[in-house]
Amino acid sequence: MPTRPAPTERQKRLGAELRRMRLAAGRTTEYAAGLLGLDRTKVSNMEAGVRATSPERIRLLASNYECADEAYVEALVTMADTRRGWWQQYRGALPQGLLDVAELEWFATRLRSYQSVHVPGLLQLGEYARAIFAAALPPLPRSEVELRVVQRVRRQQVLDREQPQPLDYVAYVHEWALRMQFGGRRVMREQLLHLCEASDRPHVDLRVLPVEAGAFPGAGHAVLYAHGAVPQLDTVHLDSAHGGEFTHSESQLAKYRAHMDWWHTHTLTTKESRDLIHSIARQL
């Protein structure tokens, strides 16, 4: 019997929201199972993201859970769409977390990120990304390094998205990330010039935190804040040496919204940031 593929982060999030909605209504899994004509195990699997569900079932549950937030319910219905995105062609060849990040970005309505070590992934050139992956320990096979580079560059097509609306991206980056020469002087210079070009795009806002700013929140982590179709579906992705982590509890979302606000207040303006990047590139 074939093994059921592990659920994606988006599927798990849909299940978690259905469970949250049920608990808010004070209902049991037995109640949900009776509504849907399923047994308890299948409802539990649905709430774990392991079992797919349909738009009709989501609306039925929301109605009986007395959830009156129509925008939220319709956002959940959209999440039930099981059509495969481009990232799924890498399933089994790359870690699922890399695919989940691409999916998160694709369905976001707005993205904000801050980086203290690397240039943001959505703005990386291939050679720069290759230098990052090649530095991993234990070393990655060369074939996997190349596959990761291709997948990372493909992720950037989200910045060209027109439907359902263009994606606004605000990227905060620490000055030191612009001075660390991943790939050497030539690669880094080309990467910096690419950042300046990217910051000219109408939906990209790139801001630099100068070293003079001193201490900053979230040091040591790369953070991506993805705004969902409704605020309840916002998600944060934390990237660190031990791997990626997704979080969406309200307390954590509030924490990282505060982080993003801090970075926005303390970073240079878009023009000042571009001027600093040009200055660093000239030094190379």
Side-chain angles (χ1 to χ4, degrees):
M1 185 174 181
T3 304
R4 186 193 297 268
T8 69
E9 192 64 31
R10 185 172 171 84
Q11 290 168 335
K12 289 189 285 186
R13 180 63 185 278
L14 173 58
E17 292 300 320
L18 294 177
R19 182 176 186 274
R20 185 177 297 172
M21 192 193 305
R22 175 177 61 77
L23 293 176
R27 299 298 188 178
T28 64
T29 52
E30 288 87 351
Y31 176 83
L35 282 175
L36 302 177
L38 302 173
D39 60 44
R40 282 187 56 197
T41 300
K42 290 180 178 178
V43 171
S44 296
N45 286 340
M46 185 179 68
E47 293 184 348
V50 175
R51 180 184 177 87
T53 190
S54 66
E56 294 74 21
R57 283 178 167 171
I58 292 174
R59 292 192 178 100
L60 176 63
L61 291 173
S63 175
N64 284 273
Y65 293 161
E66 299 181 358
C67 178
D69 190 335
E70 294 183 8
Y72 172 64
V73 174
E74 288 308 307
L76 296 183
V77 166
T78 300
M79 292 178 72
D81 188 342
T82 57
R83 286 178 293 180
R84 294 167 62 86
W86 65 264
W87 48 87
Q88 288 298 340
Q89 73 183 76
Y90 297 94
R91 181 184 281 269
L94 290 176
Q96 182 61 42
L98 297 181
L99 281 57
D100 287 337
V101 171
E103 186 175 48
L104 176 67
E105 292 168 343
W106 188 260
F107 288 104
T109 58
R110 184 185 185 218
L111 294 174
R112 291 188 288 173
S113 70
Y114 62 78
Q115 304 268 349
S116 58
V117 177
H118 301 138
V119 165
L122 286 178
L123 302 177
Q124 290 179 7
L125 290 175
E127 284 193 84
Y128 179 90
R130 183 175 293 108
I132 292 174
F133 292 131
L137 289 177
L140 297 170
R142 183 173 179 178
S143 59
E144 183 172 342
V145 169
E146 294 306 314
L147 199 58
R148 286 183 180 227
V149 171
V150 171
Q151 192 261 357
R152 173 154 296 184
V153 172
R154 275 196 80 180
R155 276 173 49 196
Q156 298 171 18
Q157 65 185 293
V158 73
L159 299 178
D160 298 316
R161 190 185 75 188
E162 295 295 335
Q163 299 294 332
Q165 73 268 340
L167 180 71
D168 287 325
Y169 179 39
V170 184
Y172 307 110
V173 59
H174 197 280
E175 181 181 343
W176 279 120
L178 307 175
R179 294 187 179 277
M180 285 188 269
Q181 297 178 20
F182 286 94
R185 296 172 68 89
R186 179 189 61 81
V187 169
M188 195 63 207
R189 184 174 186 277
E190 291 178 357
Q191 178 62 72
L192 293 176
L193 294 177
H194 176 71
L195 287 181
C196 292
E197 293 175 4
S199 67
D200 276 331
R201 301 180 64 161
H203 299 286
V204 175
D205 186 7
L206 177 63
R207 294 170 178 256
V208 177
L209 183 70
V211 293
E212 292 83 2
F216 57 95
H221 289 287
V223 177
L224 173 68
Y225 192 107
H227 294 255
V230 292
Q232 301 98 305
L233 296 180
D234 288 0
T235 303
V236 165
H237 177 256
L238 306 172
D239 194 9
S240 63
H242 65 269
E245 176 187 350
F246 295 85
T247 183
H248 48 78
S249 70
E250 180 49 42
S251 62
Q252 289 296 304
L253 292 176
K255 169 185 173 180
Y256 287 106
R257 284 195 297 269
H259 280 207
M260 294 298 171
D261 291 344
W262 186 96
W263 279 76
H264 198 82
T265 299
H266 292 82
T267 48
L268 303 175
T269 67
T270 303
K271 182 182 182 305
E272 291 169 339
S273 297
R274 191 181 298 117
D275 290 344
L276 177 57
I277 295 171
H278 271 300
S279 174
I280 297 173
R282 283 194 295 272
Q283 295 171 28
L284 297 174

